[in-house]
């Protein structure tokens, strides 16, 4: 006998899957007019934020902040570089590391995209108690 005898509609994991897919469709629709995929947005926004709080991050630090795979981060940052949104340069003291600097165009796009994503988030999550949801999601994220 399964734990969720009522079927998928009673399974937290299944419901989270559907909620996540719906939210991802919202993010895709929000970011497409800006010429960004969701992962490009996350990495650009994280690079911009990290640089505003400290020095420009390395790709490894950027991957850690975003929660993304280092190799995938490198590939996506290369695409962002091709769009003129970031620049990569050798780290001054670590020959293996690359430093990611957000260009002026990238910073402007990051600010605009963050505003668009925050507005889409506000609309998407309007039907729920957002502070309570954030607490639940933070707990789940910390456990994994």
């Amino acid at each position: 006998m399964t734990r969720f005898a009522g079927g998928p509609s009673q399974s937290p994991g299944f419901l989270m899957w559907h909620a996540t897919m719906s939210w991802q469709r919202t993010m895709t629709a929000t970011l497409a007019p800006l010429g960004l995929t969701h992962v490009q947005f996350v990495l650009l926004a994280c690079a911009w934020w990290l640089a505003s709080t400290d020095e420009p991050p390395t790709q490894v630090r950027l991957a850690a902040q975003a929660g993304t795979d280092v190799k995938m981060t490198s590939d996506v940052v290369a695409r962002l570089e091709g769009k003129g949104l970031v620049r990569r340069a050798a780290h001054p003291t670590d020959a293996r590391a690359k430093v990611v600097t957000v260009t002026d165009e990238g910073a402007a796009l990051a600010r605009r995209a963050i505003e668009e994503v925050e507005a889409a988030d506000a609309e998407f999550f309007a039907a729920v108690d957002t502070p309570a949801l954030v607490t639940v999601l933070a707990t789940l994220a910390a456990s994994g």
Side-chain angles (χ1 to χ4, degrees), residues 9-39:
S9 66
Q10 300 302 306
S11 167
F14 188 74
L15 292 170
M16 181 177 285
W17 168 256
H18 276 273
T20 299
M21 295 304 295
S22 180
W23 178 77
Q24 286 179 342
R25 285 190 295 274
T26 298
M27 291 301 105
T28 297
T30 299
L31 294 165
L34 302 176
L36 293 172
T37 65
H38 195 200
V39 71

Side-chain angles (χ1 to χ4, degrees), residues 103-117:
T103 65
D104 290 342
E105 180 184 350
L109 183 58
R111 285 189 295 273
R112 181 172 172 210
I114 289 167
E115 289 175 6
E116 298 279 338
V117 164

Side-chain angles (χ1 to χ4, degrees), residues 15-91:
L15 292 170
M16 181 177 285
W17 168 256
H18 276 273
T20 299
M21 295 304 295
S22 180
W23 178 77
Q24 286 179 342
R25 285 190 295 274
T26 298
M27 291 301 105
T28 297
T30 299
L31 294 165
L34 302 176
L36 293 172
T37 65
H38 195 200
V39 71
Q40 288 173 347
F41 161 72
V42 169
L43 290 169
L44 178 62
C46 284
W48 177 73
W49 181 79
L50 285 169
S52 72
T53 61
D54 197 13
E55 59 190 45
T58 63
Q59 287 184 162
V60 170
R61 184 167 174 229
L62 178 57
Q65 175 69 32
T68 54
D69 174 76
V70 174
K71 172 67 172 121
M72 188 265 298
T73 297
S74 177
D75 292 345
V76 174
V77 168
R79 286 189 211 105
L80 292 171
E81 187 175 35
K83 293 181 176 193
L85 302 174
V86 301
R87 284 188 304 275
R88 291 184 295 175
H91 190 278

